[in-house]
């Protein structure tokens, strides 16, 4: 019986401590504000405005690796894509397109 009274008293104390509303809990914290001013928002992003960097990015987009080209070819052909799900894209490309000679 004493244990039951003790557990009930303990539960009431935990509930009172967790449900306590203070003046500070009603005010929003400064760091929880989701909106920033423009100066602080752009302060941590440094865009690389170098013309050479932009041109290098365009070159990387144009020149694809051979594996990526093979994967795109295999994705366009449905049986090859199904085979690739089971055995991988390299094996699927070799199975369906490996016998061909391309220039």
């Amino acid at each position: 019986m004493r244990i039951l009274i003790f557990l009930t008293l303990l539960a009431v104390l935990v509930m009172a401590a967790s449900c306590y509303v203070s003046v500070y809990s009603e005010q929003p914290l400064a760091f929880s504000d989701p909106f920033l001013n423009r100066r602080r928002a752009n302060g941590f992003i440094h865009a690389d405005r170098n013309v050479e960097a932009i041109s290098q990015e365009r070159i990387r987009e144009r020149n694809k690796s051979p594996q990526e080209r093979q994967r795109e070819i295999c994705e366009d052909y449905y049986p090859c894509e199904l085979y690739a799900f089971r055995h991988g894209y390299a094996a699927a490309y070799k199975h369906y397109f490996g016998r061909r000679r391309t220039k």
Side-chain angles (χ1 to χ4, degrees):
M1 188 68 179
R2 285 185 180 179
I3 294 175
L4 184 62
I5 294 172
F6 177 73
L7 289 176
T8 306
L9 185 62
L10 184 64
V12 169
L13 287 174
V14 168
M15 186 181 68
S18 64
C19 295
Y20 176 72
V21 177
S22 69
V23 177
Y24 297 112
S25 65
E26 294 175 1
Q27 296 175 354
L29 298 173
F31 60 85
S32 67
D33 188 19
F35 301 106
L36 298 172
N37 63 17
R38 291 180 185 172
R39 190 171 295 167
R40 286 196 61 211
N42 293 330
F44 61 91
I45 298 176
H46 301 290
D48 191 9
R49 300 186 193 280
N50 191 356
V51 176
E52 184 178 335
I54 294 171
S55 66
Q56 288 294 325
E57 181 180 347
R58 297 295 175 235
I59 290 171
R60 282 191 300 267
E61 288 176 0
R62 264 188 282 144
N63 297 335
K64 295 180 181 177
S65 68
Q67 292 85 6
E68 188 174 356
R69 276 190 245 123
Q70 289 176 1
R71 182 179 180 138
E72 288 177 355
I73 291 169
C74 190
E75 284 176 348
D76 290 338
Y77 187 55
Y78 187 70
C80 182
E81 188 175 17
L82 290 177
Y83 192 88
F85 285 141
R86 191 169 272 240
H87 302 286
Y89 280 101
Y93 183 83
K94 190 182 292 183
H95 180 76
Y96 284 99
F97 304 105
R99 295 182 192 98
R100 294 185 192 181
R101 287 273 186 202
T102 58
K103 291 184 179 180

